[in-house]
């Protein structure tokens, strides 16, 4: 599992509330990613990071922000959650061009 | 923008059959391609990474091939087993970013 953990693993929240998901890695990988997985859309890139404080947007970044103040942690924030952000969120790292994924966070916005 | 298509979307076979899963992509300027497996409700498990300089990569009963010029990759599963039942995802690199683009996957069911 390349030492990747995600927290929380499950969360139910109300529309309009802020939510932060955490991805933690133990092996000092430079590249970290956030994807979301939805039926009919597959996995889509939200944001990624190529170093501390270095981030870039993916194809579905609207409504999301990220931060990486330490190598080991990559945070994904939904500033004001909407029902369209109900999804399974996966964090990943890249090691020697191979991507390894965390176990996922199932987020439900009611 | 990289777009990925996987055919078939679903496949059900009896145990022991040899299988071919197909993946096509639109941006052939890739340096590698990764195949994953996903069990229901679980994360993704990396199966194979095939480099653009390789034509094939093998791991156990799995063999992946890559033809950059035609924008195609195939995953061959030999002597399928019920434990192979899962969704298989093809993921070439995202155009212009060091990330992956995913197909919708092939959902495989191997009947005992």
């Amino acid at each position: 599992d390349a030492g990747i953990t995600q927290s929380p693993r499950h969360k139910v929240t109300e529309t309009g509330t802020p939510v932060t998901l955490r991805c933690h890695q133990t092996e000092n990988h430079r590249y970290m990613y956030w994807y979301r997985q939805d039926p009919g859309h597959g996995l889509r890139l939200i944001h990624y990071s190529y170093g501390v404080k270095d981030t870039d947007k993916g194809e579905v970044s609207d409504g999301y922000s990220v931060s990486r103040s330490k190598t080991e942690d990559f945070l994904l924030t939904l500033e004001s959650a909407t029902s369209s952000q109900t999804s399974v969120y996966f964090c990943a790292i890249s090691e020697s061009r191979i991507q390894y994924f965390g176990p996922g966070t199932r987020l439900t916005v009611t | 923008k990289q777009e990925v298509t996987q055919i078939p979307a679903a496949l059900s076979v009896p145990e022991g059959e040899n299988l071919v899963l197909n993946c096509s992509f639109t941006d052939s300027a890739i340096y590698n391609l990764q195949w994953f497996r996903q069990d229901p409700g679980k994360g993704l498990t990396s199966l194979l990474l095939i480099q653009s300089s390789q034509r094939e990569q093998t791991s156990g009963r799995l063999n992946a091939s890559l033809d950059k010029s035609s924008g195609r990759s195939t995953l061959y599963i030999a002597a399928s087993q019920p434990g192979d039942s899962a969704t298989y995802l093809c993921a070439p690199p995202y155009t212009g970013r060091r990330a992956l683009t995913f197909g919708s996957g092939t959902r495989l069911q191997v009947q005992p």
Side-chain angles (χ1 to χ4, degrees), chain B residues 1-5 24-30 68 70-71 92 95:
Chain B
K1 177 189 169 189
Q2 182 74 276
E3 295 185 358
V4 183
T5 303
S24 61
F25 48 91
T26 54
D27 182 356
S28 61
I30 64 171
K68 274 183 54 174
S70 66
T95 300

Side-chain angles (χ1 to χ4, degrees), chain A residues 33 35 37 57 59 99, chain B residues 34 38 94 97-98 100:
Chain A
Y33 307 84
Y35 294 88
Q37 186 175 35
K57 296 179 179 180
E59 66 181 300
Q99 285 202 15
Chain B
Q34 200 166 350
Q38 186 175 29
Y94 202 99
R97 289 182 172 85
R98 189 169 160 173
L100 296 178

Side-chain angles (χ1 to χ4, degrees), chain A:
Chain A
D1 63 0
I4 306 167
T5 57
Q6 294 185 233
S7 59
R9 295 292 314 280
H10 301 272
K11 186 170 182 67
V12 179
T13 192
E14 293 185 349
T15 299
T17 59
V19 177
T20 295
L21 308 183
R22 180 185 183 229
C23 177
H24 179 77
Q25 55 129 336
T26 59
E27 300 182 14
N28 250 8
H29 298 293
R30 180 181 170 198
Y31 283 83
M32 298 183 75
Y33 307 84
W34 280 106
Y35 294 88
R36 60 178 287 176
Q37 186 175 35
D38 305 288
H41 290 281
L43 279 102
R44 293 177 291 174
L45 180 68
I46 306 172
H47 281 279
Y48 71 104
S49 170
Y50 47 95
V52 173
K53 298 185 180 176
D54 292 322
T55 64
D56 200 0
K57 296 179 179 180
E59 66 181 300
V60 290
S61 59
D62 288 347
Y64 301 95
S65 63
V66 290
S67 66
R68 192 165 178 205
S69 58
K70 300 185 291 185
T71 299
E72 59 265 35
D73 288 326
F74 192 30
L75 304 181
L76 177 70
T77 297
L78 291 65
E79 302 289 349
S80 177
T82 67
S83 58
S84 65
Q85 293 176 312
T86 292
S87 187
V88 180
Y89 292 85
F90 287 101
C91 173
I93 60 91
S94 178
E95 177 184 345
S96 302
R97 300 278 183 168
I98 299 173
Q99 285 202 15
Y100 297 94
F101 282 73
T105 293
R106 184 172 295 275
L107 176 68
T108 302
V109 184
T110 62

Side-chain angles (χ1 to χ4, degrees), chain B residues 35-83:
Chain B
W35 281 92
F36 293 88
R37 164 190 176 132
Q38 186 175 29
D39 294 291
K42 303 293 186 182
L44 280 72
T45 300
S46 179
L47 296 174
L48 288 164
L49 175 78
I50 181 165
Q51 305 284 359
S52 59
S53 58
Q54 300 174 298
R55 291 193 63 84
E56 292 187 356
Q57 180 70 267
T58 297
S59 176
R61 294 182 294 108
L62 304 180
N63 177 278
S65 67
L66 176 62
D67 184 345
K68 274 183 54 174
S69 61
S70 66
R72 293 181 182 179
S73 179
T74 60
L75 181 67
Y76 177 82
I77 303 176
S80 58
Q81 303 171 358

